[in-house]
Every structure is written in structure tokens, then in C-alpha cells.
Amino acid sequence: MAIKKSELYSSLWKSCDELRGGMDASQYKDYVLVLLFVKYISDKYAGQKDALIEVPVGGSFADMVALKGDKEIGDKINIIISNLAEANDLKGVIDVADFNDAEKLGKGKEMVDRLSNLVSIFNTPGLDFKGNRAEGDDILGDAYEYLMRHFATESGKSKGQFYTPAEASLIMAKVIGIEKVVSANQSLYDLTCGSGSLMLKAHDEALNKTGLDITIYGQEMDNATAALAKMNMILHNCPTAEIWKDNTLSSPYFKQPDGQLKTFDFVVANPPFSTKAWSNGFNPAEDEYHRFCFGIPPAKNGDYAFFQHILASLKSTGKGAVILPHGVLFRGGAEGVIRKNVIQRGFIKGIIGLPANLFYGTGIPACIIVLDKENAAARKGIFMIDASKGYIKDGNKNRLRAQDVHKIVDTFNKQIETAKYARLVPVAEIEANDFNLNLPRYIDSSDAEDLQDIAAHLNGGIPHDDIDELAAYWQVFPAVRAQLFSQAELGHGINTYSQLNVEPGQIKATIFAHREFTAFNQQVTQLFADWKTGNTPLLTGIQPGDRPKALIDVLSENLLETFRSVPLIDAYDVYQHLLDYWSETLQDDAWQLVHEGWQAVLDGKANTDLIPTALIVARYFNAERQAIDQLEADREAISRQMEEQDEELGGEDGLLAEGKTDKGKLSSKSVKDRLKALKNDQEALEEQAALEAYLALIEQESAAAKKVKAAQKALDTQVIRQYAQLSEAEIKTLVVEDKWLAALATSVQSELDRVSQALTGRIKQLAERYATPLPKLTEELETLASRVDDHLKKMGFVWD
């Protein structure tokens, strides 16, 4: 049976992590990823003539497998890697990790066992890289991403910067317009490329949308990380990418024939935040590449040094995106001068504020600054997004959800102005704020204060203003408002307050029963039915060799568009339900289907991963299930009788007390033993009757349990037989209709429930807040105080 992708990657990480030994994850990744590289190269190119990568004799993963248990396994793995490196000009790239390092891997048998086990982890049928490429539907791209995220998470605050979260990388790839490339000669550059994840996301965005394989350039100063980036390029089918190891600021490598910086069509970067030693090795005031024409950054903060290097590296039509700490938006001094000059030149197209604690190596909030030189002269404003609140907790980090990424990209690319989230800010307004770009100056994303109405507390009634704030609901349910509220008669000539027409406990029922809510419910249900009708053929049409990722892209985009115009429901929330279900269930099912086809039986066993037995029972054996449910109910009824008897007669002096075991339980044996002891005891007839009645219940429960067990066994046999009899059409009905679409329908219904719960909750809150006016509270307080005084006097406590 095909292994689940989710299980494969989690078991891969768990196994690798257990073998880590004396290294932290930032070091251990070099060993694991080298093995992943060798496995991939061997699977893809071994035995092929004129292959892009040569796998020499004595330089393959198979040679590593043959070493399991060998006393010299560490040294011999180094030789295998060296052979592969020499054959492909990869010295200093794949041979940076020493597999014979006793301090990190252990000595003697410990090293042999650790390396043997590590090789075995990758020597599994589940990790077959033949014919796969990254970001299609291959296991390689997903396995690599999974491992890198976990290595970054486990590497600690100062060592996880080699990896930019995939979600942030994807946003940057989608907002720079790289999907509009027109030639493979167009170029992409990352000046602090780390492991290359940012470049690869942008490259794949262009490739997937246009089919063009644009040219990649990257520079990274850390030796091991630069090597990782080179491996990464090959692993992701970009072997011609040019990666250079050196300090970009002091020794930029990519230059034009005249010695000036080479310029690129697209630049993406996630440079180290606020580095203090940015000017080591050169004098910024005498920079030969004229990068700091907008101003020299502070001596101990290099954010604007990297920023200006990006601007200098962009062609006149170039576009880019860079991740920087929020401080670059508002810090003064030299940085304020640089920011003013850049804004006046129109180079900044937009700013996207991201949640805090998103990036590895730092917990501070960051932003993406989107650059566009091509349209700079005509730019009259900067599009700003405050996306700081859209995330979920993921371990000790925050993580953007699929819906957060999609909303950011849609909003930015379509320039959609949204209250408390996004707006196009005129440069004149920014100038009036002294070129400060701090997002809260322009977007108030704070929650509105829930103000209390003093007059309502004094006189009663619910303020119209509070009810009016629910206008989004009343636009859809105008008659619901009229049914819930009426004008309050306060006797003070006040006509700006309402009273609730129903009891607070009936608010939800009133909303649910109203024809307007029923119509809204039907509208949403019909929209889902329309989406279901249009997309069911895609689901039932899954065939071996298909690309599940392409499928989920189509399904999710269709669902998003279906619900985009629905009031009160956030289409991105509905979209996230599908993506969550994809991650939890649908991905593994689709992965199995494209490898195994629509099979109800695999390897002679029922395919319960794809078709859970509950689905078979519900569709084919519902009567049998109901009969078992009744038998279980009968058994439970007997059990309750036994509990009642025990509670009533099993106390210390009860008639059943002496029939219990040492542990205070009533069993068949203990009751029988007690009855035997009481035989012929005419004074204990009442106790004997109670014991005999309880024993009868024990026997009845035992018989009932046997009936349940026998019926369940018979049903299980029928279910197993049914798997073998299923046609492909029946399998598709069970999986697509009964499993996938039923689960998604429940998720959509949960959004309807959320609408009613939100409205109900707010109305109840308002009703309870103003239920008792202050004068009445004062009156009640005086009454209670008087009663207390009376009680105290009766107790003899008297005072003046």
C-alpha cells in the first residue's frame, strides 16, 4: 500500500532527528541534505549516458547502501561523496560535511550504527525520485521543504537564518510580477541568498505561469549555506544557476564588463536584519559601485546598505522585493534621509506589514518592501497593507496560512483598498508625515473600542448606535432587526434607544427560524452545490500520472471565486477550509490515486486509508449498523440498571456491600461467592434477593455484550467482502461524494454557524449590558442593604 506523503515526511524528520547525536540542527542539516542530494542524483541520473549530472562508479547512493554496517562507513561515505563531487565540479559544495567526524557522529560502533541507520532512512521505496521535479507533485520538493522548515525551527535564534519561510517567499514571488516574464534570458538575483529558497519560489512562479526557465544568480557569504544553495539549485532542476560565496556588500561578484554592478530584471532578498558589521572590508563613502547615492547608512545598522544594493542591482525596468525589519519604515537620522530620497524617486511600489515572530532567527515584526523602477517616474502613491493580524501559531513561531498569503497577493496585485487592511497612500500624505512610512500612521488596524452608553445605563434600552454597528448583518437580514428590536419607551422623550423583543435565550432561535436567514442559508448552500457540480468531474477524473497540486490549485481558486461576493462570509475562510482538508486528508488520498488508481483493495488488504470502513457501513449496511446500535443501547440500559442498583444498595450498609470484591467491585464471581455463603440463611433473604437480582443483570449484560460482539463481527465480515466487490464508479462515489465533499459541506456550514453565532453573541452582550438601569440597581441595592440591616439587628448588632 502506498505510503502517505504526510507520514513519509514526518517519519523522515523524526528518524533523522533521533540520529542527530552531538550536533544541533543547523549542523545536522548539512549531513541530511547531502544524503538527500546524493539519493536524488543517483535516482535521476545513475546509468544515463550524457546526463546533466554524472554519477561515477563508486559515487552513488547504492554504494552508500552497500556500506551499512561497515566499520569504515564514515570514511568510505566521504570517498563516495568526493567521487561524485570531482565528476561534477562540486568540490566545496557537497563535501562540506565530514561523515567521519567522531565528535559529531560518535566513535566506533556508535558512528557505524548512526550512519547505517541514516542511510537506511533514505533507502525506502517511498523516497523514489525517478522522474520527479520540485514544486510539481514530487516528493523531493516537499521533502526538502519539510526538512528545511524543521531544521530552521530547531536551529535556535541565531542559526535559522538560512531559510525564509515558504509562505513569505511565495508572497514575494507573486507581487514582483515575475509571472509576466517574456524571455528565458531575463534574470533573477538574490544578494543574500541563504539556501536559495527565495530565488526558487520566484523561479518556479515564472516557470509555472509561462514555462520560461529564467536565469538565476545568487551570492551568500557563509560557506556551508552557499554550498547548500548550490545543492538546492540542482535538486530543484536549476543546475545552471550561478551561486557565489562571498560578502555581497564588500565584494559583490556579479559585475558588468565596465566593472560596475550587473543589473537584473528581478531581485528578491531577505538580508540579515540590522547587521552591525555591514561595512567591514570596504569604505562606503568611497564605494566604487556608487550604491549609496541616497545616503550612507548608519555605521551599526546595515538595513539600508542592502536596500540600496538592491536598487543599484535593478535594471531601469527592474522589480524587486526585500524583507526588512519594521524599523526601516520610521527610523530617523541617516536612514530618514535615505528613505525620503528613495520615496521622492518613486522606487517604492508598496509595503506589506507582516506578523511578528514569523522569521527564523528573530522575533521582531518585519515588512516586505516592493520595488519597481519601471513605473517610478509616474508613481503618485505607495500601496500599503497591514497584514500583521493574519496568521496562526505554529509551535514557537507564527505562520502565514494559505488564506493569508492569497489575501495579501490578491489585495496587492489588484490594488484593493480595504478598511483597516490596505490603502493606496498618496506621496503628498507621506511627505506631510515627514516621509515616515510606519504603517499605523496610514492604516488603523486596531479593533474599535466598545464604548458604553451612560444614558442607556441610567435609563435602560439598547443604543441605536450599537445596533447600527451591525449594519453588515441588517443589509442581509433587515426584517430580522425589526423582529428582534422595537423602539424603547423610556418616558424621557428619548428615541435613540431600542428594546429587545425576545428573551436573550431565544435570540439564536429567532434568527435561525427567520425566513431571511433561511434564504441566506439556502443561497450559500446552493453556491456550494454549484461549485460541487462544476468540480466533481475534476475529482472523479483523477488518474495515475496526474498532478495533485495542479488539481488543488484549480479547486481552491474556483471555491474562492464562488464565495468571493457572498456577504457576511469571508471567502478566504472558506478557501482555507479546503486547504486545511487538503493538508489533513485530500492530499494523501490524491497522492495515492495518482500512483495506485481507484483501488478498493491494495496488496490483498482493504484500502481503508482511501475508503474508511465507516463509509462502507453508512452506504451499504446502514440497517445492520442500526441493529448493532440498538443492541448496544440495550446493553447500556442494563449497565445503567446495574449502576443504579450499586448506587442504591452498594453502600457500606447496603444489601450488596458484602458481595463486592476487595477492590469494591461487584463481579459475577464475588456475587456468587456471597450467595453461596448465605445459602440456607433465613435471616438474609432480602440480601439474597438483591444479590440474585444483580447477578441476573450481570448475566443479561454479558449476554447482551456477546450479541453486540457477534453482530459487529458479522458486519465486519460483510464490510471486508464489500471492498472486493466495489466497482470503480462505486469507489468514486464513496470517496468523492461521501468522504471529500461531505466533509467540505460541513466546513461551509460551519461558516454559516459562525455568522449566526457572531450576531447572536453581540446582541446578547448588548442586552445583558443594559438590562438593568442604574436606578433599578440602586433600588435593588437599597432593598438588599435594608434586609442585611434587619438580619444584623435580629442578631443583636445595633449601631447609630
Side-chain angles (χ1 to χ4, degrees), residues 7-48:
E7 291 179 358
L8 173 65
Y9 304 140
S10 60
S11 63
L12 180 64
W13 167 255
K14 183 178 179 181
S15 299
C16 290
D17 197 38
E18 288 176 352
L19 298 172
R20 193 155 77 191
M23 293 173 280
D24 67 28
S26 65
Q27 297 171 307
Y28 190 56
K29 76 178 189 306
D30 298 330
Y31 291 86
V32 172
L33 295 177
V34 164
L35 287 184
L36 181 67
F37 178 85
V38 176
K39 178 69 165 67
Y40 170 74
I41 294 301
S42 300
D43 283 356
K44 189 162 181 119
Y45 299 115
Q48 294 185 21

Short mmCIF file of all heavy atoms in Angstrom, two decimals, residues 7-48:
data_model
loop_
_atom_site.label_atom_id
_atom_site.label_comp_id
_atom_site.label_asym_id
_atom_site.label_seq_id
_atom_site.Cartn_x
_atom_site.Cartn_y
_atom_site.Cartn_z
N GLU A 7 2.85 11.17 6.24
CA GLU A 7 3.52 10.23 7.14
C GLU A 7 4.97 10.05 6.75
O GLU A 7 5.85 9.91 7.60
CB GLU A 7 2.79 8.89 7.14
CG GLU A 7 1.42 8.92 7.78
CD GLU A 7 0.73 7.56 7.72
OE1 GLU A 7 1.32 6.62 7.15
OE2 GLU A 7 -0.39 7.45 8.24
N LEU A 8 5.22 10.05 5.45
CA LEU A 8 6.59 9.88 4.96
C LEU A 8 7.49 10.98 5.49
O LEU A 8 8.57 10.73 6.03
CB LEU A 8 6.60 9.87 3.43
CG LEU A 8 7.98 9.86 2.76
CD1 LEU A 8 8.71 8.57 3.07
CD2 LEU A 8 7.84 10.04 1.25
N TYR A 9 7.05 12.24 5.36
CA TYR A 9 7.91 13.35 5.75
C TYR A 9 8.05 13.46 7.26
O TYR A 9 9.14 13.76 7.77
CB TYR A 9 7.36 14.66 5.17
CG TYR A 9 7.22 14.61 3.67
CD1 TYR A 9 6.14 15.17 3.02
CD2 TYR A 9 8.18 13.95 2.90
CE1 TYR A 9 6.00 15.10 1.64
CE2 TYR A 9 8.05 13.87 1.53
CZ TYR A 9 6.96 14.44 0.90
OH TYR A 9 6.84 14.36 -0.46
N SER A 10 6.97 13.21 7.98
CA SER A 10 7.06 13.29 9.43
C SER A 10 7.95 12.19 9.98
O SER A 10 8.74 12.41 10.90
CB SER A 10 5.67 13.22 10.07
OG SER A 10 5.02 12.00 9.74
N SER A 11 7.86 11.00 9.40
CA SER A 11 8.72 9.90 9.86
C SER A 11 10.16 10.15 9.46
O SER A 11 11.09 9.81 10.19
CB SER A 11 8.23 8.56 9.30
OG SER A 11 8.32 8.54 7.89
N LEU A 12 10.35 10.78 8.29
CA LEU A 12 11.70 11.13 7.83
C LEU A 12 12.35 12.08 8.82
O LEU A 12 13.50 11.89 9.24
CB LEU A 12 11.61 11.75 6.45
CG LEU A 12 12.92 12.19 5.79
CD1 LEU A 12 13.83 11.00 5.54
CD2 LEU A 12 12.64 12.92 4.48
N TRP A 13 11.62 13.13 9.21
CA TRP A 13 12.17 14.10 10.16
C TRP A 13 12.43 13.45 11.51
O TRP A 13 13.49 13.64 12.12
CB TRP A 13 11.24 15.28 10.33
CG TRP A 13 11.62 16.11 11.52
CD1 TRP A 13 11.00 16.17 12.72
CD2 TRP A 13 12.76 16.97 11.63
NE1 TRP A 13 11.66 17.02 13.57
CE2 TRP A 13 12.75 17.52 12.93
CE3 TRP A 13 13.78 17.33 10.76
CZ2 TRP A 13 13.72 18.40 13.36
CZ3 TRP A 13 14.75 18.21 11.19
CH2 TRP A 13 14.72 18.74 12.48
N LYS A 14 11.46 12.68 12.00
CA LYS A 14 11.60 12.05 13.31
C LYS A 14 12.81 11.13 13.35
O LYS A 14 13.60 11.15 14.30
CB LYS A 14 10.33 11.27 13.65
CG LYS A 14 10.36 10.64 15.04
CD LYS A 14 9.06 9.90 15.35
CE LYS A 14 9.10 9.26 16.73
NZ LYS A 14 7.85 8.52 17.03
N SER A 15 12.96 10.34 12.30
CA SER A 15 14.09 9.40 12.25
C SER A 15 15.41 10.15 12.21
O SER A 15 16.36 9.82 12.92
CB SER A 15 13.96 8.49 11.03
OG SER A 15 12.77 7.74 11.09
N CYS A 16 15.48 11.17 11.36
CA CYS A 16 16.71 11.95 11.25
C CYS A 16 17.04 12.65 12.56
O CYS A 16 18.19 12.67 13.01
CB CYS A 16 16.58 12.99 10.13
SG CYS A 16 16.54 12.29 8.47
N ASP A 17 16.02 13.23 13.18
CA ASP A 17 16.24 13.99 14.41
C ASP A 17 16.76 13.09 15.53
O ASP A 17 17.60 13.51 16.34
CB ASP A 17 14.93 14.65 14.83
CG ASP A 17 15.14 15.78 15.83
OD1 ASP A 17 16.12 16.51 15.68
OD2 ASP A 17 14.33 15.90 16.76
N GLU A 18 16.26 11.85 15.57
CA GLU A 18 16.71 10.92 16.61
C GLU A 18 18.17 10.52 16.43
O GLU A 18 18.83 10.10 17.37
CB GLU A 18 15.83 9.67 16.58
CG GLU A 18 14.42 9.91 17.12
CD GLU A 18 13.53 8.70 17.00
OE1 GLU A 18 13.98 7.72 16.36
OE2 GLU A 18 12.41 8.72 17.53
N LEU A 19 18.70 10.67 15.23
CA LEU A 19 20.07 10.26 14.94
C LEU A 19 21.04 11.43 14.98
O LEU A 19 22.18 11.32 14.53
CB LEU A 19 20.14 9.59 13.55
CG LEU A 19 19.32 8.30 13.41
CD1 LEU A 19 19.30 7.86 11.96
CD2 LEU A 19 19.89 7.21 14.29
N ARG A 20 20.59 12.56 15.51
CA ARG A 20 21.37 13.78 15.40
C ARG A 20 22.68 13.72 16.18
O ARG A 20 23.67 14.32 15.80
CB ARG A 20 20.52 14.96 15.87
CG ARG A 20 21.10 16.29 15.51
CD ARG A 20 20.02 17.33 15.41
NE ARG A 20 19.54 17.79 16.72
CZ ARG A 20 18.47 18.53 16.89
NH1 ARG A 20 17.74 18.86 15.87
NH2 ARG A 20 18.12 18.92 18.10
N GLY A 21 22.66 13.05 17.31
CA GLY A 21 23.90 12.92 18.08
C GLY A 21 24.36 14.22 18.69
O GLY A 21 23.59 14.96 19.30
N GLY A 22 25.64 14.54 18.52
CA GLY A 22 26.23 15.70 19.17
C GLY A 22 26.16 16.98 18.38
O GLY A 22 27.02 17.85 18.54
N MET A 23 25.15 17.14 17.53
CA MET A 23 25.04 18.34 16.70
C MET A 23 23.70 19.02 16.92
O MET A 23 22.72 18.38 17.25
CB MET A 23 25.14 17.97 15.21
CG MET A 23 26.48 17.45 14.77
SD MET A 23 26.38 16.87 13.06
CE MET A 23 25.64 15.26 13.30
N ASP A 24 23.67 20.33 16.70
CA ASP A 24 22.36 20.98 16.64
C ASP A 24 21.87 20.87 15.19
O ASP A 24 22.59 20.45 14.29
CB ASP A 24 22.43 22.43 17.13
CG ASP A 24 23.24 23.35 16.24
OD1 ASP A 24 23.33 23.10 15.02
OD2 ASP A 24 23.78 24.35 16.75
N ALA A 25 20.63 21.27 15.01
CA ALA A 25 20.00 21.07 13.70
C ALA A 25 20.68 21.86 12.60
O ALA A 25 20.69 21.43 11.44
CB ALA A 25 18.52 21.45 13.78
N SER A 26 21.27 23.01 12.91
CA SER A 26 21.92 23.81 11.87
C SER A 26 23.14 23.09 11.30
O SER A 26 23.51 23.30 10.15
CB SER A 26 22.34 25.18 12.44
OG SER A 26 23.34 25.02 13.43
N GLN A 27 23.78 22.23 12.10
CA GLN A 27 24.89 21.43 11.60
C GLN A 27 24.41 20.12 10.98
O GLN A 27 24.89 19.71 9.92
CB GLN A 27 25.85 21.11 12.76
CG GLN A 27 26.51 22.31 13.39
CD GLN A 27 27.27 21.93 14.65
OE1 GLN A 27 26.71 21.30 15.55
NE2 GLN A 27 28.54 22.29 14.71
N TYR A 28 23.43 19.51 11.62
CA TYR A 28 22.96 18.21 11.17
C TYR A 28 22.34 18.28 9.79
O TYR A 28 22.39 17.32 9.01
CB TYR A 28 21.96 17.67 12.18
CG TYR A 28 21.57 16.23 11.96
CD1 TYR A 28 22.54 15.23 11.91
CD2 TYR A 28 20.25 15.86 11.80
CE1 TYR A 28 22.19 13.91 11.72
CE2 TYR A 28 19.89 14.55 11.61
CZ TYR A 28 20.86 13.57 11.57
OH TYR A 28 20.52 12.26 11.38
N LYS A 29 21.76 19.45 9.46
CA LYS A 29 21.13 19.60 8.15
C LYS A 29 22.14 19.35 7.02
O LYS A 29 21.77 18.84 5.96
CB LYS A 29 20.51 20.98 8.00
CG LYS A 29 21.51 22.11 7.76
CD LYS A 29 20.82 23.45 7.57
CE LYS A 29 21.77 24.52 7.11
NZ LYS A 29 22.96 24.69 7.97
N ASP A 30 23.41 19.70 7.26
CA ASP A 30 24.41 19.51 6.20
C ASP A 30 24.59 18.04 5.86
O ASP A 30 24.81 17.68 4.70
CB ASP A 30 25.75 20.13 6.63
CG ASP A 30 25.65 21.63 6.85
OD1 ASP A 30 24.82 22.26 6.18
OD2 ASP A 30 26.37 22.15 7.72
N TYR A 31 24.48 17.17 6.85
CA TYR A 31 24.61 15.73 6.61
C TYR A 31 23.36 15.18 5.91
O TYR A 31 23.45 14.47 4.91
CB TYR A 31 24.83 14.99 7.93
CG TYR A 31 26.17 15.27 8.56
CD1 TYR A 31 26.35 16.37 9.40
CD2 TYR A 31 27.25 14.43 8.33
CE1 TYR A 31 27.58 16.63 9.98
CE2 TYR A 31 28.49 14.68 8.91
CZ TYR A 31 28.65 15.78 9.73
OH TYR A 31 29.88 16.02 10.30
N VAL A 32 22.22 15.54 6.45
CA VAL A 32 20.96 15.00 5.93
C VAL A 32 20.73 15.46 4.49
O VAL A 32 20.36 14.68 3.61
CB VAL A 32 19.78 15.42 6.82
CG1 VAL A 32 18.45 15.04 6.19
CG2 VAL A 32 19.91 14.76 8.19
N LEU A 33 20.97 16.75 4.23
CA LEU A 33 20.68 17.27 2.89
C LEU A 33 21.68 16.77 1.86
O LEU A 33 21.36 16.65 0.67
CB LEU A 33 20.64 18.80 2.92
CG LEU A 33 19.48 19.36 3.76
CD1 LEU A 33 19.53 20.87 3.82
CD2 LEU A 33 18.14 18.91 3.21
N VAL A 34 22.91 16.48 2.27
CA VAL A 34 23.87 15.86 1.35
C VAL A 34 23.38 14.47 0.95
O VAL A 34 23.43 14.08 -0.23
CB VAL A 34 25.28 15.78 1.97
CG1 VAL A 34 26.17 14.80 1.19
CG2 VAL A 34 25.92 17.15 1.97
N LEU A 35 22.90 13.71 1.91
CA LEU A 35 22.37 12.39 1.59
C LEU A 35 21.14 12.49 0.68
O LEU A 35 20.97 11.70 -0.25
CB LEU A 35 22.00 11.63 2.86
CG LEU A 35 23.17 11.09 3.70
CD1 LEU A 35 22.64 10.28 4.87
CD2 LEU A 35 24.09 10.23 2.86
N LEU A 36 20.29 13.47 0.96
CA LEU A 36 19.13 13.70 0.10
C LEU A 36 19.59 14.03 -1.32
O LEU A 36 19.02 13.53 -2.31
CB LEU A 36 18.29 14.85 0.66
CG LEU A 36 17.01 15.21 -0.10
CD1 LEU A 36 15.99 14.08 -0.02
CD2 LEU A 36 16.40 16.50 0.43
N PHE A 37 20.63 14.82 -1.42
CA PHE A 37 21.17 15.21 -2.73
C PHE A 37 21.71 13.98 -3.47
O PHE A 37 21.39 13.75 -4.65
CB PHE A 37 22.29 16.24 -2.54
CG PHE A 37 22.95 16.67 -3.81
CD1 PHE A 37 22.41 17.70 -4.57
CD2 PHE A 37 24.13 16.06 -4.25
CE1 PHE A 37 23.02 18.10 -5.75
CE2 PHE A 37 24.74 16.47 -5.42
CZ PHE A 37 24.18 17.49 -6.17
N VAL A 38 22.51 13.19 -2.80
CA VAL A 38 23.10 12.01 -3.44
C VAL A 38 22.01 11.03 -3.85
O VAL A 38 22.07 10.43 -4.93
CB VAL A 38 24.13 11.34 -2.50
CG1 VAL A 38 24.67 10.05 -3.13
CG2 VAL A 38 25.29 12.30 -2.20
N LYS A 39 21.00 10.86 -3.01
CA LYS A 39 19.89 9.96 -3.34
C LYS A 39 19.16 10.45 -4.58
O LYS A 39 18.85 9.68 -5.50
CB LYS A 39 18.91 9.90 -2.16
CG LYS A 39 17.67 9.03 -2.40
CD LYS A 39 18.01 7.55 -2.49
CE LYS A 39 16.79 6.66 -2.35
NZ LYS A 39 15.84 6.76 -3.45
N TYR A 40 18.88 11.74 -4.64
CA TYR A 40 18.17 12.31 -5.79
C TYR A 40 18.99 12.16 -7.07
O TYR A 40 18.46 11.72 -8.11
CB TYR A 40 17.89 13.79 -5.52
CG TYR A 40 17.38 14.54 -6.72
CD1 TYR A 40 16.07 14.37 -7.18
CD2 TYR A 40 18.19 15.43 -7.41
CE1 TYR A 40 15.59 15.05 -8.27
CE2 TYR A 40 17.73 16.12 -8.51
CZ TYR A 40 16.43 15.93 -8.94
OH TYR A 40 15.96 16.61 -10.03
N ILE A 41 20.27 12.53 -6.99
CA ILE A 41 21.13 12.45 -8.18
C ILE A 41 21.23 11.01 -8.67
O ILE A 41 21.16 10.73 -9.87
CB ILE A 41 22.53 13.02 -7.86
CG1 ILE A 41 22.44 14.52 -7.58
CG2 ILE A 41 23.49 12.75 -8.99
CD1 ILE A 41 21.87 15.33 -8.70
N SER A 42 21.37 10.11 -7.73
CA SER A 42 21.51 8.69 -8.11
C SER A 42 20.23 8.17 -8.75
O SER A 42 20.28 7.46 -9.77
CB SER A 42 21.87 7.86 -6.88
OG SER A 42 23.09 8.28 -6.32
N ASP A 43 19.09 8.50 -8.16
CA ASP A 43 17.81 8.05 -8.71
C ASP A 43 17.58 8.61 -10.11
O ASP A 43 17.07 7.92 -11.00
CB ASP A 43 16.65 8.46 -7.81
CG ASP A 43 16.53 7.57 -6.58
OD1 ASP A 43 17.28 6.60 -6.48
OD2 ASP A 43 15.69 7.88 -5.71
N LYS A 44 17.95 9.87 -10.29
CA LYS A 44 17.58 10.56 -11.53
C LYS A 44 18.57 10.33 -12.66
O LYS A 44 18.17 10.25 -13.83
CB LYS A 44 17.47 12.06 -11.26
CG LYS A 44 16.88 12.83 -12.43
CD LYS A 44 16.38 14.19 -11.99
CE LYS A 44 15.77 14.90 -13.19
NZ LYS A 44 14.37 15.22 -13.01
N TYR A 45 19.87 10.20 -12.33
CA TYR A 45 20.87 10.20 -13.40
C TYR A 45 21.74 8.95 -13.49
O TYR A 45 22.43 8.77 -14.51
CB TYR A 45 21.79 11.42 -13.23
CG TYR A 45 21.08 12.74 -13.32
CD1 TYR A 45 21.00 13.59 -12.22
CD2 TYR A 45 20.47 13.15 -14.51
CE1 TYR A 45 20.35 14.81 -12.29
CE2 TYR A 45 19.82 14.37 -14.59
CZ TYR A 45 19.75 15.20 -13.49
OH TYR A 45 19.11 16.40 -13.57
N ALA A 46 21.74 8.12 -12.46
CA ALA A 46 22.63 6.95 -12.50
C ALA A 46 22.33 6.06 -13.71
O ALA A 46 21.17 5.74 -13.98
CB ALA A 46 22.50 6.14 -11.20
N GLY A 47 23.38 5.69 -14.43
CA GLY A 47 23.23 4.80 -15.56
C GLY A 47 22.83 5.48 -16.86
O GLY A 47 22.72 4.83 -17.90
N GLN A 48 22.62 6.80 -16.83
CA GLN A 48 22.24 7.52 -18.05
C GLN A 48 23.47 8.08 -18.74
O GLN A 48 24.35 8.66 -18.10
CB GLN A 48 21.29 8.68 -17.71
CG GLN A 48 19.94 8.26 -17.17
CD GLN A 48 19.02 9.46 -16.98
OE1 GLN A 48 19.24 10.52 -17.57
NE2 GLN A 48 18.02 9.30 -16.14
#
